[in-house]
PDB file of all heavy atoms in Angstrom:
ATOM      1  N   ASP A   1       8.320 -10.786  -3.576  1.00 90.00           N
ATOM      2  CA  ASP A   1       9.578 -10.732  -4.152  1.00 90.00           C
ATOM      3  C   ASP A   1      10.093  -9.366  -4.159  1.00 90.00           C
ATOM      4  O   ASP A   1       9.645  -8.388  -4.885  1.00 90.00           O
ATOM      5  CB  ASP A   1       9.542 -11.233  -5.620  1.00 90.00           C
ATOM      6  CG  ASP A   1      10.800 -11.128  -6.507  1.00 90.00           C
ATOM      7  OD1 ASP A   1      11.879 -10.732  -5.878  1.00 90.00           O
ATOM      8  OD2 ASP A   1      10.739 -11.346  -7.633  1.00 90.00           O
ATOM      9  N   PRO A   2      11.077  -8.892  -3.310  1.00 85.00           N
ATOM     10  CA  PRO A   2      11.551  -7.586  -3.156  1.00 85.00           C
ATOM     11  C   PRO A   2      12.174  -7.039  -4.499  1.00 85.00           C
ATOM     12  O   PRO A   2      12.288  -5.767  -4.588  1.00 85.00           O
ATOM     13  CB  PRO A   2      12.642  -7.608  -2.070  1.00 85.00           C
ATOM     14  CG  PRO A   2      12.285  -8.860  -1.343  1.00 85.00           C
ATOM     15  CD  PRO A   2      11.648  -9.834  -2.340  1.00 85.00           C
ATOM     16  N   SER A   3      12.438  -7.857  -5.497  1.00 90.00           N
ATOM     17  CA  SER A   3      12.922  -7.335  -6.755  1.00 90.00           C
ATOM     18  C   SER A   3      11.886  -6.967  -7.763  1.00 90.00           C
ATOM     19  O   SER A   3      12.155  -6.285  -8.657  1.00 90.00           O
ATOM     20  CB  SER A   3      13.861  -8.347  -7.364  1.00 90.00           C
ATOM     21  OG  SER A   3      13.210  -9.507  -7.775  1.00 90.00           O
ATOM     22  N   GLN A   4      10.607  -7.170  -7.404  1.00 89.00           N
ATOM     23  CA  GLN A   4       9.494  -6.851  -8.206  1.00 89.00           C
ATOM     24  C   GLN A   4       9.451  -5.321  -8.250  1.00 89.00           C
ATOM     25  O   GLN A   4       9.906  -4.624  -7.373  1.00 89.00           O
ATOM     26  CB  GLN A   4       8.271  -7.510  -7.827  1.00 89.00           C
ATOM     27  CG  GLN A   4       7.486  -6.950  -6.540  1.00 89.00           C
ATOM     28  CD  GLN A   4       6.262  -7.633  -6.084  1.00 89.00           C
ATOM     29  OE1 GLN A   4       6.225  -8.852  -6.204  1.00 89.00           O
ATOM     30  NE2 GLN A   4       5.431  -6.892  -5.651  1.00 89.00           N
ATOM     31  N   PRO A   5       8.771  -4.695  -9.237  1.00 90.00           N
ATOM     32  CA  PRO A   5       8.677  -3.249  -9.356  1.00 90.00           C
ATOM     33  C   PRO A   5       7.907  -2.738  -8.149  1.00 90.00           C
ATOM     34  O   PRO A   5       7.010  -3.347  -7.539  1.00 90.00           O
ATOM     35  CB  PRO A   5       7.827  -3.006 -10.551  1.00 90.00           C
ATOM     36  CG  PRO A   5       8.001  -4.258 -11.368  1.00 90.00           C
ATOM     37  CD  PRO A   5       8.154  -5.389 -10.377  1.00 90.00           C
ATOM     38  N   ASP A   6       8.409  -1.565  -7.628  1.00 93.00           N
ATOM     39  CA  ASP A   6       7.799  -0.982  -6.467  1.00 93.00           C
ATOM     40  C   ASP A   6       6.489  -0.087  -6.931  1.00 93.00           C
ATOM     41  O   ASP A   6       6.520   1.165  -6.857  1.00 93.00           O
ATOM     42  CB  ASP A   6       8.681  -0.137  -5.676  1.00 93.00           C
ATOM     43  CG  ASP A   6       8.236   0.492  -4.392  1.00 93.00           C
ATOM     44  OD1 ASP A   6       7.264   0.041  -3.966  1.00 93.00           O
ATOM     45  OD2 ASP A   6       8.899   1.295  -3.958  1.00 93.00           O
ATOM     46  N   ASP A   7       5.423  -0.744  -7.212  1.00 95.00           N
ATOM     47  CA  ASP A   7       4.271  -0.071  -7.799  1.00 95.00           C
ATOM     48  C   ASP A   7       3.027  -0.336  -7.012  1.00 95.00           C
ATOM     49  O   ASP A   7       2.002  -0.207  -7.542  1.00 95.00           O
ATOM     50  CB  ASP A   7       4.112  -0.397  -9.324  1.00 95.00           C
ATOM     51  CG  ASP A   7       3.936  -1.963  -9.556  1.00 95.00           C
ATOM     52  OD1 ASP A   7       4.098  -2.741  -8.518  1.00 95.00           O
ATOM     53  OD2 ASP A   7       3.677  -2.302 -10.655  1.00 95.00           O
ATOM     54  N   ALA A   8       3.159  -0.780  -5.747  1.00 96.00           N
ATOM     55  CA  ALA A   8       1.996  -1.082  -4.957  1.00 96.00           C
ATOM     56  C   ALA A   8       0.922  -0.046  -4.861  1.00 96.00           C
ATOM     57  O   ALA A   8      -0.201  -0.218  -5.075  1.00 96.00           O
ATOM     58  CB  ALA A   8       2.390  -1.645  -3.640  1.00 96.00           C
ATOM     59  N   PRO A   9       1.394   1.239  -4.580  1.00 97.00           N
ATOM     60  CA  PRO A   9       0.393   2.313  -4.516  1.00 97.00           C
ATOM     61  C   PRO A   9      -0.530   2.344  -5.788  1.00 97.00           C
ATOM     62  O   PRO A   9      -1.669   2.648  -5.625  1.00 97.00           O
ATOM     63  CB  PRO A   9       1.279   3.574  -4.290  1.00 97.00           C
ATOM     64  CG  PRO A   9       2.494   3.097  -3.695  1.00 97.00           C
ATOM     65  CD  PRO A   9       2.743   1.730  -4.298  1.00 97.00           C
ATOM     66  N   GLU A  10       0.134   2.200  -6.900  1.00 97.00           N
ATOM     67  CA  GLU A  10      -0.665   2.346  -8.138  1.00 97.00           C
ATOM     68  C   GLU A  10      -1.608   1.137  -8.350  1.00 97.00           C
ATOM     69  O   GLU A  10      -2.767   1.345  -8.729  1.00 97.00           O
ATOM     70  CB  GLU A  10       0.285   2.408  -9.405  1.00 97.00           C
ATOM     71  CG  GLU A  10       1.118   3.692  -9.555  1.00 97.00           C
ATOM     72  CD  GLU A  10       2.383   3.688  -8.595  1.00 97.00           C
ATOM     73  OE1 GLU A  10       2.723   2.608  -8.046  1.00 97.00           O
ATOM     74  OE2 GLU A  10       2.940   4.814  -8.418  1.00 97.00           O
ATOM     75  N   ARG A  11      -1.052  -0.045  -7.976  1.00 97.00           N
ATOM     76  CA  ARG A  11      -1.879  -1.218  -7.971  1.00 97.00           C
ATOM     77  C   ARG A  11      -3.140  -1.248  -7.037  1.00 97.00           C
ATOM     78  O   ARG A  11      -4.120  -1.960  -7.306  1.00 97.00           O
ATOM     79  CB  ARG A  11      -1.084  -2.516  -7.772  1.00 97.00           C
ATOM     80  CG  ARG A  11      -0.100  -2.793  -8.788  1.00 97.00           C
ATOM     81  CD  ARG A  11       0.872  -3.966  -8.410  1.00 97.00           C
ATOM     82  NE  ARG A  11       1.780  -4.371  -9.406  1.00 97.00           N
ATOM     83  CZ  ARG A  11       1.711  -5.730  -9.746  1.00 97.00           C
ATOM     84  NH1 ARG A  11       1.061  -6.579  -9.207  1.00 97.00           N
ATOM     85  NH2 ARG A  11       2.621  -6.016 -10.753  1.00 97.00           N
ATOM     86  N   LEU A  12      -2.956  -0.441  -5.960  1.00 98.00           N
ATOM     87  CA  LEU A  12      -4.093  -0.469  -5.016  1.00 98.00           C
ATOM     88  C   LEU A  12      -4.966   0.848  -5.006  1.00 98.00           C
ATOM     89  O   LEU A  12      -5.948   0.929  -4.256  1.00 98.00           O
ATOM     90  CB  LEU A  12      -3.390  -0.574  -3.594  1.00 98.00           C
ATOM     91  CG  LEU A  12      -2.545  -1.875  -3.359  1.00 98.00           C
ATOM     92  CD1 LEU A  12      -1.818  -1.768  -2.037  1.00 98.00           C
ATOM     93  CD2 LEU A  12      -3.519  -2.981  -3.436  1.00 98.00           C
ATOM     94  N   ALA A  13      -4.568   1.780  -5.863  1.00 98.00           N
ATOM     95  CA  ALA A  13      -5.284   3.071  -5.874  1.00 98.00           C
ATOM     96  C   ALA A  13      -6.809   2.858  -6.185  1.00 98.00           C
ATOM     97  O   ALA A  13      -7.631   3.748  -5.796  1.00 98.00           O
ATOM     98  CB  ALA A  13      -4.699   3.910  -6.954  1.00 98.00           C
ATOM     99  N   HIS A  14      -7.268   1.807  -6.877  1.00 98.00           N
ATOM    100  CA  HIS A  14      -8.614   1.541  -7.108  1.00 98.00           C
ATOM    101  C   HIS A  14      -9.487   1.150  -5.971  1.00 98.00           C
ATOM    102  O   HIS A  14     -10.698   1.032  -6.019  1.00 98.00           O
ATOM    103  CB  HIS A  14      -8.761   0.561  -8.287  1.00 98.00           C
ATOM    104  CG  HIS A  14      -8.426  -0.860  -7.765  1.00 98.00           C
ATOM    105  ND1 HIS A  14      -7.066  -1.216  -7.718  1.00 98.00           N
ATOM    106  CD2 HIS A  14      -9.210  -1.930  -7.572  1.00 98.00           C
ATOM    107  CE1 HIS A  14      -7.069  -2.561  -7.287  1.00 98.00           C
ATOM    108  NE2 HIS A  14      -8.331  -2.886  -7.180  1.00 98.00           N
ATOM    109  N   LEU A  15      -8.798   0.805  -4.817  1.00 98.00           N
ATOM    110  CA  LEU A  15      -9.591   0.309  -3.598  1.00 98.00           C
ATOM    111  C   LEU A  15      -9.985   1.498  -2.713  1.00 98.00           C
ATOM    112  O   LEU A  15      -9.179   2.046  -2.020  1.00 98.00           O
ATOM    113  CB  LEU A  15      -8.674  -0.651  -2.880  1.00 98.00           C
ATOM    114  CG  LEU A  15      -8.351  -1.957  -3.612  1.00 98.00           C
ATOM    115  CD1 LEU A  15      -7.317  -2.776  -2.718  1.00 98.00           C
ATOM    116  CD2 LEU A  15      -9.528  -2.813  -3.895  1.00 98.00           C
ATOM    117  N   PRO A  16     -11.276   1.873  -2.791  1.00 97.00           N
ATOM    118  CA  PRO A  16     -11.726   2.960  -2.016  1.00 97.00           C
ATOM    119  C   PRO A  16     -11.631   2.797  -0.517  1.00 97.00           C
ATOM    120  O   PRO A  16     -11.682   3.789   0.241  1.00 97.00           O
ATOM    121  CB  PRO A  16     -13.237   3.169  -2.428  1.00 97.00           C
ATOM    122  CG  PRO A  16     -13.527   1.753  -2.857  1.00 97.00           C
ATOM    123  CD  PRO A  16     -12.401   1.193  -3.472  1.00 97.00           C
ATOM    124  N   GLU A  17     -11.534   1.574   0.023  1.00 98.00           N
ATOM    125  CA  GLU A  17     -11.464   1.279   1.407  1.00 98.00           C
ATOM    126  C   GLU A  17     -10.033   1.761   1.984  1.00 98.00           C
ATOM    127  O   GLU A  17      -9.875   2.025   3.240  1.00 98.00           O
ATOM    128  CB  GLU A  17     -11.651  -0.162   1.680  1.00 98.00           C
ATOM    129  CG  GLU A  17     -12.970  -0.690   1.403  1.00 98.00           C
ATOM    130  CD  GLU A  17     -13.141  -1.184  -0.032  1.00 98.00           C
ATOM    131  OE1 GLU A  17     -12.110  -1.033  -0.938  1.00 98.00           O
ATOM    132  OE2 GLU A  17     -14.053  -1.862  -0.423  1.00 98.00           O
ATOM    133  N   ILE A  18      -9.114   1.934   1.121  1.00 98.00           N
ATOM    134  CA  ILE A  18      -7.680   2.385   1.632  1.00 98.00           C
ATOM    135  C   ILE A  18      -7.835   3.952   1.625  1.00 98.00           C
ATOM    136  O   ILE A  18      -7.928   4.680   0.616  1.00 98.00           O
ATOM    137  CB  ILE A  18      -6.598   2.005   0.595  1.00 98.00           C
ATOM    138  CG1 ILE A  18      -6.542   0.454   0.484  1.00 98.00           C
ATOM    139  CG2 ILE A  18      -5.273   2.583   1.058  1.00 98.00           C
ATOM    140  CD1 ILE A  18      -5.609  -0.161  -0.471  1.00 98.00           C
ATOM    141  N   ASP A  19      -7.774   4.454   2.841  1.00 97.00           N
ATOM    142  CA  ASP A  19      -7.765   5.809   3.179  1.00 97.00           C
ATOM    143  C   ASP A  19      -6.527   6.500   2.787  1.00 97.00           C
ATOM    144  O   ASP A  19      -6.510   7.646   2.281  1.00 97.00           O
ATOM    145  CB  ASP A  19      -8.345   5.990   4.628  1.00 97.00           C
ATOM    146  CG  ASP A  19      -8.391   7.480   5.057  1.00 97.00           C
ATOM    147  OD1 ASP A  19      -7.360   8.174   5.308  1.00 97.00           O
ATOM    148  OD2 ASP A  19      -9.564   7.983   5.212  1.00 97.00           O
ATOM    149  N   SER A  20      -5.417   5.914   3.315  1.00 97.00           N
ATOM    150  CA  SER A  20      -4.051   6.549   3.089  1.00 97.00           C
ATOM    151  C   SER A  20      -3.073   5.397   2.925  1.00 97.00           C
ATOM    152  O   SER A  20      -3.323   4.272   3.363  1.00 97.00           O
ATOM    153  CB  SER A  20      -3.678   7.234   4.373  1.00 97.00           C
ATOM    154  OG  SER A  20      -4.645   8.279   4.719  1.00 97.00           O
ATOM    155  N   CYS A  21      -1.998   5.806   2.231  1.00 98.00           N
ATOM    156  CA  CYS A  21      -0.953   4.875   1.826  1.00 98.00           C
ATOM    157  C   CYS A  21       0.319   5.634   2.124  1.00 98.00           C
ATOM    158  O   CYS A  21       0.648   6.658   1.611  1.00 98.00           O
ATOM    159  CB  CYS A  21      -1.013   4.438   0.467  1.00 98.00           C
ATOM    160  SG  CYS A  21       0.417   3.446  -0.096  1.00 98.00           S
ATOM    161  N   TYR A  22       1.147   5.023   3.077  1.00 98.00           N
ATOM    162  CA  TYR A  22       2.338   5.641   3.610  1.00 98.00           C
ATOM    163  C   TYR A  22       3.593   4.740   3.215  1.00 98.00           C
ATOM    164  O   TYR A  22       3.542   3.495   3.473  1.00 98.00           O
ATOM    165  CB  TYR A  22       2.377   5.799   5.125  1.00 98.00           C
ATOM    166  CG  TYR A  22       1.202   6.583   5.635  1.00 98.00           C
ATOM    167  CD1 TYR A  22       0.131   5.947   6.153  1.00 98.00           C
ATOM    168  CD2 TYR A  22       1.194   7.954   5.735  1.00 98.00           C
ATOM    169  CE1 TYR A  22      -0.999   6.549   6.698  1.00 98.00           C
ATOM    170  CE2 TYR A  22       0.041   8.650   6.187  1.00 98.00           C
ATOM    171  CZ  TYR A  22      -0.928   8.011   6.619  1.00 98.00           C
ATOM    172  OH  TYR A  22      -2.021   8.600   7.211  1.00 98.00           O
ATOM    173  N   SER A  23       4.629   5.365   2.602  1.00 97.00           N
ATOM    174  CA  SER A  23       5.806   4.623   2.324  1.00 97.00           C
ATOM    175  C   SER A  23       6.570   4.681   3.676  1.00 97.00           C
ATOM    176  O   SER A  23       6.715   5.754   4.252  1.00 97.00           O
ATOM    177  CB  SER A  23       6.606   5.301   1.194  1.00 97.00           C
ATOM    178  OG  SER A  23       7.839   4.674   0.982  1.00 97.00           O
ATOM    179  N   VAL A  24       7.093   3.470   4.111  1.00 97.00           N
ATOM    180  CA  VAL A  24       7.659   3.447   5.508  1.00 97.00           C
ATOM    181  C   VAL A  24       9.061   2.839   5.429  1.00 97.00           C
ATOM    182  O   VAL A  24       9.491   2.053   4.403  1.00 97.00           O
ATOM    183  CB  VAL A  24       6.779   2.712   6.514  1.00 97.00           C
ATOM    184  CG1 VAL A  24       5.475   3.448   6.694  1.00 97.00           C
ATOM    185  CG2 VAL A  24       6.463   1.292   5.913  1.00 97.00           C
ATOM    186  N   ALA A  25       9.830   3.125   6.315  1.00 96.00           N
ATOM    187  CA  ALA A  25      11.164   2.490   6.516  1.00 96.00           C
ATOM    188  C   ALA A  25      10.997   1.251   7.463  1.00 96.00           C
ATOM    189  O   ALA A  25       9.995   1.203   8.236  1.00 96.00           O
ATOM    190  CB  ALA A  25      12.131   3.417   7.255  1.00 96.00           C
ATOM    191  N   GLY A  26      11.810   0.181   7.273  1.00 93.00           N
ATOM    192  CA  GLY A  26      11.754  -0.850   8.201  1.00 93.00           C
ATOM    193  C   GLY A  26      11.495  -2.163   7.283  1.00 93.00           C
ATOM    194  O   GLY A  26      11.733  -2.117   6.106  1.00 93.00           O
ATOM    195  N   GLU A  27      10.955  -3.078   7.894  1.00 91.00           N
ATOM    196  CA  GLU A  27      10.675  -4.377   7.182  1.00 91.00           C
ATOM    197  C   GLU A  27       9.607  -4.276   6.128  1.00 91.00           C
ATOM    198  O   GLU A  27       9.670  -4.895   5.107  1.00 91.00           O
ATOM    199  CB  GLU A  27      10.311  -5.496   8.096  1.00 91.00           C
ATOM    200  CG  GLU A  27      11.402  -5.956   9.046  1.00 91.00           C
ATOM    201  CD  GLU A  27      10.999  -7.119   9.937  1.00 91.00           C
ATOM    202  OE1 GLU A  27      10.109  -7.845   9.551  1.00 91.00           O
ATOM    203  OE2 GLU A  27      11.465  -7.152  11.094  1.00 91.00           O
ATOM    204  N   ASP A  28       8.561  -3.454   6.403  1.00 94.00           N
ATOM    205  CA  ASP A  28       7.482  -3.275   5.484  1.00 94.00           C
ATOM    206  C   ASP A  28       7.828  -2.225   4.561  1.00 94.00           C
ATOM    207  O   ASP A  28       8.601  -1.343   4.859  1.00 94.00           O
ATOM    208  CB  ASP A  28       6.216  -3.058   6.267  1.00 94.00           C
ATOM    209  CG  ASP A  28       5.790  -4.059   7.262  1.00 94.00           C
ATOM    210  OD1 ASP A  28       5.869  -5.195   6.848  1.00 94.00           O
ATOM    211  OD2 ASP A  28       5.646  -3.757   8.502  1.00 94.00           O
ATOM    212  N   PHE A  29       7.075  -2.157   3.415  1.00 96.00           N
ATOM    213  CA  PHE A  29       7.288  -1.271   2.340  1.00 96.00           C
ATOM    214  C   PHE A  29       6.300   0.006   2.423  1.00 96.00           C
ATOM    215  O   PHE A  29       6.636   1.131   2.213  1.00 96.00           O
ATOM    216  CB  PHE A  29       7.196  -1.854   0.936  1.00 96.00           C
ATOM    217  CG  PHE A  29       8.443  -2.555   0.543  1.00 96.00           C
ATOM    218  CD1 PHE A  29       9.121  -3.400   1.414  1.00 96.00           C
ATOM    219  CD2 PHE A  29       9.024  -2.478  -0.761  1.00 96.00           C
ATOM    220  CE1 PHE A  29      10.212  -4.165   0.998  1.00 96.00           C
ATOM    221  CE2 PHE A  29      10.057  -3.163  -1.157  1.00 96.00           C
ATOM    222  CZ  PHE A  29      10.770  -4.008  -0.204  1.00 96.00           C
ATOM    223  N   TYR A  30       5.018  -0.413   2.690  1.00 98.00           N
ATOM    224  CA  TYR A  30       3.956   0.575   2.879  1.00 98.00           C
ATOM    225  C   TYR A  30       3.046   0.189   4.046  1.00 98.00           C
ATOM    226  O   TYR A  30       2.971  -0.931   4.461  1.00 98.00           O
ATOM    227  CB  TYR A  30       3.056   0.571   1.508  1.00 98.00           C
ATOM    228  CG  TYR A  30       3.892   1.019   0.355  1.00 98.00           C
ATOM    229  CD1 TYR A  30       4.420   0.213  -0.463  1.00 98.00           C
ATOM    230  CD2 TYR A  30       3.977   2.492   0.142  1.00 98.00           C
ATOM    231  CE1 TYR A  30       5.111   0.612  -1.542  1.00 98.00           C
ATOM    232  CE2 TYR A  30       4.685   2.894  -0.975  1.00 98.00           C
ATOM    233  CZ  TYR A  30       5.295   1.978  -1.762  1.00 98.00           C
ATOM    234  OH  TYR A  30       5.973   2.410  -2.831  1.00 98.00           O
ATOM    235  N   LEU A  31       2.511   1.216   4.628  1.00 98.00           N
ATOM    236  CA  LEU A  31       1.493   1.124   5.619  1.00 98.00           C
ATOM    237  C   LEU A  31       0.183   1.797   5.171  1.00 98.00           C
ATOM    238  O   LEU A  31       0.141   2.840   4.711  1.00 98.00           O
ATOM    239  CB  LEU A  31       1.883   1.807   6.880  1.00 98.00           C
ATOM    240  CG  LEU A  31       1.036   1.612   8.113  1.00 98.00           C
ATOM    241  CD1 LEU A  31       0.954   0.051   8.488  1.00 98.00           C
ATOM    242  CD2 LEU A  31       1.630   2.485   9.249  1.00 98.00           C
ATOM    243  N   LEU A  32      -0.880   0.873   5.137  1.00 98.00           N
ATOM    244  CA  LEU A  32      -2.188   1.472   4.560  1.00 98.00           C
ATOM    245  C   LEU A  32      -3.156   1.665   5.707  1.00 98.00           C
ATOM    246  O   LEU A  32      -3.223   0.828   6.655  1.00 98.00           O
ATOM    247  CB  LEU A  32      -2.697   0.377   3.631  1.00 98.00           C
ATOM    248  CG  LEU A  32      -1.937  -0.132   2.565  1.00 98.00           C
ATOM    249  CD1 LEU A  32      -2.547  -1.332   1.892  1.00 98.00           C
ATOM    250  CD2 LEU A  32      -1.436   0.875   1.601  1.00 98.00           C
ATOM    251  N   LEU A  33      -3.880   2.714   5.703  1.00 98.00           N
ATOM    252  CA  LEU A  33      -5.028   2.962   6.552  1.00 98.00           C
ATOM    253  C   LEU A  33      -6.294   2.613   5.890  1.00 98.00           C
ATOM    254  O   LEU A  33      -6.562   3.119   4.750  1.00 98.00           O
ATOM    255  CB  LEU A  33      -5.096   4.376   6.962  1.00 98.00           C
ATOM    256  CG  LEU A  33      -6.233   4.910   7.936  1.00 98.00           C
ATOM    257  CD1 LEU A  33      -6.218   4.130   9.117  1.00 98.00           C
ATOM    258  CD2 LEU A  33      -6.123   6.338   8.039  1.00 98.00           C
ATOM    259  N   VAL A  34      -6.983   1.558   6.362  1.00 98.00           N
ATOM    260  CA  VAL A  34      -8.142   1.011   5.701  1.00 98.00           C
ATOM    261  C   VAL A  34      -9.414   1.267   6.631  1.00 98.00           C
ATOM    262  O   VAL A  34      -9.326   1.061   7.862  1.00 98.00           O
ATOM    263  CB  VAL A  34      -7.922  -0.478   5.541  1.00 98.00           C
ATOM    264  CG1 VAL A  34      -9.127  -1.248   5.040  1.00 98.00           C
ATOM    265  CG2 VAL A  34      -6.783  -0.695   4.653  1.00 98.00           C
ATOM    266  N   ARG A  35     -10.452   1.639   6.037  1.00 98.00           N
ATOM    267  CA  ARG A  35     -11.722   1.788   6.789  1.00 98.00           C
ATOM    268  C   ARG A  35     -12.861   1.017   6.025  1.00 98.00           C
ATOM    269  O   ARG A  35     -13.070   1.083   4.853  1.00 98.00           O
ATOM    270  CB  ARG A  35     -12.169   3.286   6.721  1.00 98.00           C
ATOM    271  CG  ARG A  35     -11.115   4.150   7.390  1.00 98.00           C
ATOM    272  CD  ARG A  35     -11.462   5.565   7.556  1.00 98.00           C
ATOM    273  NE  ARG A  35     -10.553   6.516   8.030  1.00 98.00           N
ATOM    274  CZ  ARG A  35     -10.203   6.769   9.239  1.00 98.00           C
ATOM    275  NH1 ARG A  35     -10.915   6.103  10.195  1.00 98.00           N
ATOM    276  NH2 ARG A  35      -9.271   7.565   9.557  1.00 98.00           N
ATOM    277  N   VAL A  36     -13.500   0.133   6.860  1.00 98.00           N
ATOM    278  CA  VAL A  36     -14.527  -0.837   6.422  1.00 98.00           C
ATOM    279  C   VAL A  36     -15.672  -0.939   7.321  1.00 98.00           C
ATOM    280  O   VAL A  36     -15.562  -0.463   8.505  1.00 98.00           O
ATOM    281  CB  VAL A  36     -13.918  -2.240   6.101  1.00 98.00           C
ATOM    282  CG1 VAL A  36     -12.866  -2.159   5.052  1.00 98.00           C
ATOM    283  CG2 VAL A  36     -13.189  -2.759   7.462  1.00 98.00           C
ATOM    284  N   ALA A  37     -16.648  -1.624   6.907  1.00 98.00           N
ATOM    285  CA  ALA A  37     -17.926  -1.763   7.732  1.00 98.00           C
ATOM    286  C   ALA A  37     -17.770  -2.732   8.782  1.00 98.00           C
ATOM    287  O   ALA A  37     -18.371  -2.684   9.853  1.00 98.00           O
ATOM    288  CB  ALA A  37     -19.070  -2.190   6.851  1.00 98.00           C
TER     289      ALA A  37
END
């Protein structure tokens, strides 16, 4: 729901697998760099 609060970075900050979080232009709101086993 695009009208929901834009708080994804805060909601995802607890996930150590997310190396970086970029706010981006275009269809997507954020691009995450994830590192896993």
Side-chain angles (χ1 to χ4, degrees):
D1 177 5
S3 67
Q4 77 184 37
D6 186 11
D7 60 355
E10 293 82 9
R11 289 176 175 232
L12 299 173
H14 70 282
L15 296 174
E17 296 89 351
I18 299 175
D19 180 284
S20 303
C21 175
Y22 306 96
S23 176
V24 295
E27 290 182 32
D28 300 311
F29 282 46
Y30 294 95
L31 184 63
L32 310 174
L33 174 61
V34 174
R35 299 188 188 272
V36 292

